[in-house]
Amino acid sequence: MYTALSPALQDDERAQKAQQLLSSCVHCGFCNATCPTYQLLGNELDGPRGRLYLIKQVLEGAEATRETQQHLDRCLTCRNCETTCPSGVNYVRILDVGREIVDERVERPRGERLRRWMLREGLGSPLLSTAVKAGQTLRPLMPASLQKNIPTRDQAPPRSEKLGKAHRWPIREHARKVLLLLGCVQPSLRPNINSATARVLDAVGIQSLVGDGVGCCGAVRLHLGDSEKGLKQVRQNVDAWWPHIQSGEIERIVMNVSGCGLTVKQYGELLADEPYYAKRAAAISAMTVDVSELLPSLVPDLALRLRDSDSASRPTLVWHAPCTLQHGQGVTSAVQTSLRELGFVVRQDDLGGHLCCGSAGTYSVLQPELSQQLRDARLRDLHALAADGPPPSAGHVLISANIGCISHLQSGTQWPVKHWVEVLDDHLVSG
């Protein structure tokens, strides 16, 4: 796709990068076949190919309009199109540039600006936990679009878990050590995921450390068009992690939030043009893995540490693959295969499993109607999948690998939704 930059953007490095990336698109349209919003809305401009044309037009000098902005906003950045694309187009990078340039030219309505500001400033704030508790109290008074994004008290972990298990961090030291990113939202919404990860790794002789001064991975700001502060968060994390890496004590940087993991794996690309940070960021990206990527190598040791070897006493697990894991990081089968090797019954959707649940970071807040339609469609498929065969005596549990997907799916089902690492933790032999 040839793009001739307008005179106003000739010297804009962002536009130059987008122009280069656009050249690999052959506008075949294969991407539309797997785009969730195109499938829902049937509008060419709400599919990847149409959005690329809109960005191309703006780069070439066409007026950016509110309609342009809305079509770009409706993209989930699920990267399903990138998995499908035969030409390897870096669609999300082009989209980020397009959104940023359009936002500079089109002023958003006041309510939108406020919501986006609250998301940028609030999700990484140390006051988030307090805000969640207040939100649970005030939930009945909130608009429906906001209510579903705040877990009810019965959806939140039990009080006993909050006070006990969720904060029971292993204290044993091991020769093998990894860094664990706690995340912004996860400690407030599902604190047990982090401690469960640490306990599972501890069970196989791996110690989890948390770097001092590590904050938000930067994903929220980067995808909301605030690249300056987003990159500042990226640099802050590089600075915080680097001494651990330089010392040689760390094997890996481990992520249990696939959205964060995808972003950290891109640090090398994001800071490639900064001499001080380029090599450090690239090293950090190379050392970063989702915890599911470690799982296959841990299966032999975990098998010795699990109780209830009879699969009948375990729940049937129904797998939802986060887009950031399967499309962004290319991790497609590690969880399902490993859990089956450990004796769990795992069902997966081989037809619609590539589709987004509608969480997509902040999408469920900014595009609530589309988000809910996508969530309900995924849950219908997952429930139908689970209904195939006799009901298990221990019930069904939906499992995933991203806090956004877990919270979003839980808002639409009575079945428990957990991170897969919590299920392993639940079946560990104590001690």
Side-chain angles (χ1 to χ4, degrees):
M1 185 183 290
Y2 176 74
T3 306
L5 294 181
S6 68
L9 293 172
Q10 287 286 343
D11 298 324
D12 190 310
E13 292 183 1
R14 302 168 303 173
Q16 292 169 3
K17 182 64 175 177
Q19 178 190 39
Q20 176 189 350
L21 295 173
L22 276 166
S23 65
S24 61
C25 176
V26 297
H27 44 83
C28 63
F30 287 1
C31 52
N32 283 347
T34 55
C35 174
T37 52
Y38 179 78
Q39 300 304 315
L40 271 182
L41 302 172
N43 186 336
E44 173 74 14
L45 298 180
D46 286 314
R49 182 172 61 180
R51 293 185 180 111
L52 290 181
Y53 269 113
L54 289 173
I55 294 169
K56 166 184 163 69
Q57 290 170 351
V58 170
L59 293 177
E60 291 182 331
E63 180 185 3
T65 66
R66 173 65 175 153
E67 185 179 358
T68 307
Q69 190 177 57
Q70 289 175 319
H71 287 302
L72 299 186
D73 283 349
R74 290 189 193 121
C75 177
L76 293 141
T77 61
C78 69
R79 296 175 183 262
N80 207 339
C81 58
E82 293 187 356
T83 298
T84 308
C85 179
S87 302
V89 176
N90 190 342
Y91 167 79
V92 170
R93 181 72 184 109
I94 301 169
L95 180 73
D96 284 344
V97 171
R99 282 174 165 172
E100 195 167 322
I101 290 174
V102 169
D103 282 355
E104 290 170 358
R105 300 179 179 191
V106 180
E107 185 175 21
R108 294 181 177 275
R110 182 179 301 175
E112 268 189 33
R113 295 201 305 272
L114 177 60
R115 278 196 298 274
R116 294 168 77 87
W117 178 85
M118 290 177 67
L119 289 168
R120 287 195 301 267
E121 302 300 328
L123 290 181
S125 169
L127 299 176
L128 179 61
S129 180
T130 302
V132 169
K133 292 176 183 176
Q136 289 174 332
T137 301
L138 299 173
R139 192 173 184 272
L141 305 178
M142 294 181 175
S145 61
L146 290 180
Q147 283 187 20
K148 70 181 184 64
N149 292 292
I150 299 174
T152 61
R153 295 190 189 279
D154 62 321
Q155 289 173 335
R159 179 173 175 79
S160 60
E161 181 178 296
K162 289 181 181 178
L163 297 178
K165 191 175 182 182
H167 299 288
R168 196 166 66 235
W169 198 275
I171 59 174
R172 295 188 299 182
E173 290 197 10
H174 298 288
R176 298 181 65 186
K177 294 178 173 61
V178 297
L179 285 168
L180 182 63
L181 178 70
L182 299 182
C184 299
V185 175
Q186 194 159 269
S188 299
L189 294 184
R190 296 288 184 105
N192 189 53
I193 295 175
N194 285 330
S195 54
T197 303
R199 289 190 293 269
V200 168
L201 293 178
D202 174 69
V204 295
I206 301 174
Q207 184 179 357
S208 300
L209 305 178
V210 178
D212 292 334
V214 175
C216 176
C217 69
V220 173
R221 289 189 181 276
L222 290 171
H223 290 307
L224 287 176
D226 189 1
S227 59
E228 181 180 348
K229 290 185 178 178
L231 291 175
K232 182 178 179 181
Q233 291 175 320
V234 171
R235 296 185 199 101
Q236 175 183 319
N237 290 343
V238 171
D239 289 337
W241 279 327
W242 189 247
H244 295 278
I245 294 169
Q246 213 172 16
S247 70
E249 65 174 336
I250 297 299
E251 287 185 14
R252 293 285 189 175
I253 303 174
V254 173
M255 304 285 152
N256 56 21
V257 181
S258 60
C260 298
L262 175 58
T263 300
V264 177
K265 286 184 177 184
Q266 295 173 326
Y267 276 14
E269 177 187 349
L270 291 170
L271 300 182
D273 296 328
E274 301 187 20
Y276 179 79
Y277 284 102
K279 289 186 178 179
R280 298 183 179 195
I284 283 172
S285 291
M287 291 187 69
T288 299
V289 293
D290 188 86
V291 66
S292 63
E293 294 179 85
L294 294 181
L295 183 57
S297 66
L298 305 180
V299 165
D301 289 332
L302 282 172
L304 302 175
R305 297 301 313 276
L306 292 179
R307 57 180 172 78
D308 297 335
S309 57
D310 180 7
S311 60
S313 64
R314 298 175 178 177
T316 292
L317 307 177
V318 183
W319 168 245
H320 167 74
C323 298
T324 44
L325 188 65
Q326 62 174 328
H327 302 306
Q329 300 185 53
V331 181
T332 58
S333 61
V335 174
Q336 311 93 292
T337 301
S338 298
L339 290 176
R340 286 174 182 141
E341 289 179 15
L342 290 168
F344 291 91
V345 175
V346 184
R347 293 179 179 167
Q348 65 187 69
D349 183 1
D350 292 325
L351 294 178
H354 61 286
L355 293 173
C356 183
C357 70
S359 171
T362 58
Y363 193 89
S364 61
V365 177
L366 299 174
Q367 301 287 335
E369 292 183 8
L370 291 175
S371 174
Q372 185 168 328
Q373 290 179 59
L374 292 166
R375 180 202 67 186
D376 293 346
R378 281 302 294 133
L379 285 172
R380 281 195 297 272
D381 289 345
L382 294 171
H383 287 157
L385 180 71
D388 183 20
S393 58
H396 291 98
V397 174
L398 301 184
I399 57 170
S400 192
N402 188 64
I403 181 62
C405 301
I406 291 168
S407 300
H408 189 53
L409 291 170
Q410 188 67 83
S411 70
T413 181
Q414 294 301 311
W415 287 2
V417 186
K418 293 187 173 186
H419 195 292
W420 62 263
V421 80
E422 293 181 282
V423 175
L424 281 182
D425 178 54
D426 289 341
H427 290 82
L428 282 177
V429 176
S430 59

